[in-house]
Amino acid sequence: MSIKYGLLALLEREPMYGYQLRSEFERSTGATWPLNIGQVYTTLSRLHRDGLVEETGESDEQGKVVYRLTDPGRTDLARWFTTPVTQDDRPRDELAIKVALAVTTPGVDARAVVQAQRTATVRHLQELTRLKAGAAEEDIAWLLVLDSMIFRAESEVRWLDHSETRLARMPRPPVRPAAAAAETTTQEVPR
Amino acid sequence: MSIKYGLLALLEREPMYGYQLRSEFERSTGATWPLNIGQVYTTLSRLHRDGLVEETGESDEQGKVVYRLTDPGRTDLARWFTTPVTQDDRPRDELAIKVALAVTTPGVDARAVVQAQRTATVRHLQELTRLKAGAAEEDIAWLLVLDSMIFRAESEVRWLDHSETRLARMPRPPVRPAAAAAETTTQEVPR
DNA sequence: CGACACATGTAACACGTTACATGATTTG
DNA sequence: CAAATCATGTAACGTGTTACATGTGTCG
């Protein structure tokens, strides 16, 4: 969904062709989320099919297919901007799922998972800080995206620390991978 | 991807059938990310095709198709648990994209977007706090997921506030939707 | 000329959602 | 018995990625 509306927003600024849309999108978000060019074309064709964009007469130079917003497209875009993002819109959080399942999966040391992630996230945070130092002051969009990622990474580190202390005062680290699992449950052991 | 490994992790705990996998997954994550039952079956068939799970002889009751991890499946799962989530793994952040594009889209009041989102996120945060108050102390997985969402929502509010002040000391709120856009740029005006 | 960036598209596949079809078991 | 829940699956579609095919324009 984000791509669909990303393209519509860029077209609201000015009519554009596919290749241009990709570079503008990546410029606006500091190439944080590189946009696959194939997807731009398929998304554009769907937007065209649904009447949200139309081709300006290809009076332009050869090849380039320039698109422009239609009125329904403008309406849809305005709706997107005025409607907040809800929990249902957000994708599953892989990290949260991983840690949540780690605590109940036999043979997995949940605290090791948390610590490894913490190292990776802190490293990422340093990279973000470095990027921010070199960012142009007038590139507001990119600065906002950068800050967004920094805030998120910081909160992730805090959550990981919080999780570690919560795991520290817990019953028992799960038993060893292979041996000693049968004497408690005694389920039917195949082969 | 999270689903694939979610299923593998549950199967590491104990062999299960599809319907059971869905309920266990939702129980572990507090029904935060409801799991579509159709997807469970298609994912299971892919996992089976790729040799990561196998059917235990359907010695079980009629109907129920019970799956069990294979050794390659166990290996793949262990790799998932020991490899941190990187930036590339994460999906695009729709909110960040929305705000970033709002600042450069004519006719869109970026600060209104930020404020509307803030209201929605604070409301969500209250709901999460309410949920946490009623959560069982021993349900560690669900508590971790809840905390994860709380930490994230809090950081989102902080970022929105930060963005608002950044937007407040900015050149000019973009011009009105329709009129008065041509006298500055004088681009070719179609139709 | 040859390499590289620009530009458009298609095919194949993975993943995700919604909706439908089908039947067994449980329970009011 | 009727309705709800349990249980498995498929079809259609949207979205995203990777890879390929094809051609133009530019520059060393």
Side-chain angles (χ1 to χ4, degrees):
Chain A
M1 282 284 96
S2 7
I3 283 336
K4 167 182 170 186
Y5 291 106
L7 299 188
L8 291 181
L10 292 173
L11 290 178
E12 175 80 294
R13 234 148 75 178
E14 178 186 16
M16 289 183 184
Y17 51 91
Y19 204 85
Q20 196 179 3
L21 281 165
R22 182 182 66 163
S23 25
E24 284 301 309
F25 182 88
E26 294 192 348
R27 220 180 41 72
S28 294
T29 57
T32 309
W33 300 291
L35 182 51
N36 167 306
I37 184 63
Q39 196 189 344
V40 174
Y41 293 117
T42 52
T43 303
L44 274 176
S45 68
R46 271 194 290 261
L47 291 173
H48 186 237
R49 179 200 59 189
D50 298 342
L52 304 181
V53 303
E54 60 191 4
E55 307 180 4
T56 72
E58 31 247 299
S59 49
D60 239 288
E61 300 104 85
Q62 68 293 4
K64 301 186 189 164
V65 184
V66 178
Y67 290 92
R68 162 208 313 145
L69 269 192
T70 62
D71 280 345
R74 233 177 304 274
T75 306
D76 199 13
L77 178 62
R79 206 181 34 60
W80 184 61
F81 273 126
T82 52
T83 311
V85 175
T86 71
Q87 183 59 25
D88 299 343
D89 300 330
R90 307 188 202 248
R92 297 187 183 88
D93 184 338
E94 180 169 352
L95 177 57
I97 291 174
K98 188 187 284 196
V99 174
L101 291 178
V103 294
T104 44
T105 303
V108 172
D109 183 355
R111 290 163 75 182
V113 172
V114 167
Q115 279 159 17
Q117 183 67 50
R118 192 188 195 281
T119 304
T121 304
V122 166
R123 215 187 307 280
H124 180 221
L125 197 47
Q126 286 163 352
E127 167 72 7
L128 290 173
T129 312
R130 218 176 49 70
L131 278 176
K132 192 177 175 182
E137 189 59 40
E138 73 278 5
D139 197 351
I140 324 284
W142 167 222
L143 284 176
L144 287 175
V145 171
L146 246 186
D147 284 333
S148 155
M149 292 199 295
I150 289 174
F151 276 61
R152 177 182 299 266
E154 283 172 348
S155 87
E156 188 171 294
V157 172
R158 280 195 294 272
W159 176 68
L160 289 167
D161 289 341
H162 172 85
S163 299
E164 222 211 314
T165 64
R166 173 158 278 179
L167 290 176
R169 48 170 214 287
M170 270 250 329
R172 278 304 83 214
V175 286
R176 301 275 69 221
E183 85 277 16
T184 49
T185 12
T186 326
Q187 52 214 357
E188 17 78 71
V189 184
R191 55 186 359 264
Chain B
M1 280 284 97
S2 9
I3 285 334
K4 168 183 168 184
Y5 291 106
L7 300 188
L8 290 182
L10 292 174
L11 291 178
E12 174 79 294
R13 236 149 72 178
E14 177 186 18
M16 289 183 182
Y17 50 91
Y19 203 86
Q20 197 179 1
L21 280 165
R22 181 180 70 161
S23 24
E24 283 301 308
F25 182 89
E26 294 193 348
R27 220 181 40 75
S28 293
T29 58
T32 310
W33 300 291
L35 182 51
N36 169 305
I37 184 62
Q39 197 189 344
V40 173
Y41 293 116
T42 53
T43 303
L44 274 175
S45 68
R46 271 195 289 263
L47 291 173
H48 186 237
R49 178 200 60 189
D50 299 341
L52 303 181
V53 303
E54 60 190 6
E55 306 180 4
T56 71
E58 31 248 297
S59 49
D60 239 288
E61 302 103 84
Q62 67 293 5
K64 300 184 190 166
V65 183
V66 178
Y67 290 93
R68 160 206 317 145
L69 270 193
T70 61
D71 281 344
R74 233 178 304 275
T75 306
D76 199 14
L77 177 62
R79 206 182 35 59
W80 183 62
F81 273 125
T82 53
T83 310
V85 175
T86 71
Q87 183 58 25
D88 300 343
D89 301 330
R90 306 187 202 248
R92 295 187 185 88
D93 183 339
E94 179 169 352
L95 178 56
I97 291 174
K98 188 186 284 196
V99 173
L101 290 179
V103 295
T104 45
T105 303
V108 171
D109 182 356
R111 289 164 74 183
V113 172
V114 168
Q115 279 159 18
Q117 183 67 50
R118 190 187 196 283
T119 305
T121 305
V122 166
R123 215 186 306 280
H124 180 221
L125 196 47
Q126 287 164 351
E127 168 70 8
L128 291 173
T129 313
R130 218 177 48 69
L131 279 177
K132 192 177 173 182
E137 189 60 39
E138 73 279 6
D139 198 349
I140 324 283
W142 166 223
L143 284 176
L144 288 175
V145 171
L146 245 185
D147 283 333
S148 157
M149 292 199 295
I150 289 173
F151 276 60
R152 178 183 301 265
E154 283 172 347
S155 87
E156 188 171 293
V157 171
R158 279 195 295 272
W159 174 69
L160 288 166
D161 289 341
H162 172 86
S163 300
E164 222 210 314
T165 64
R166 172 159 279 179
L167 289 175
R169 49 171 213 289
M170 270 250 326
R172 276 305 82 215
V175 288
R176 301 275 68 224
E183 84 278 13
T184 48
T185 14
T186 325
Q187 52 213 357
E188 18 76 67
V189 183
R191 49 184 8 261

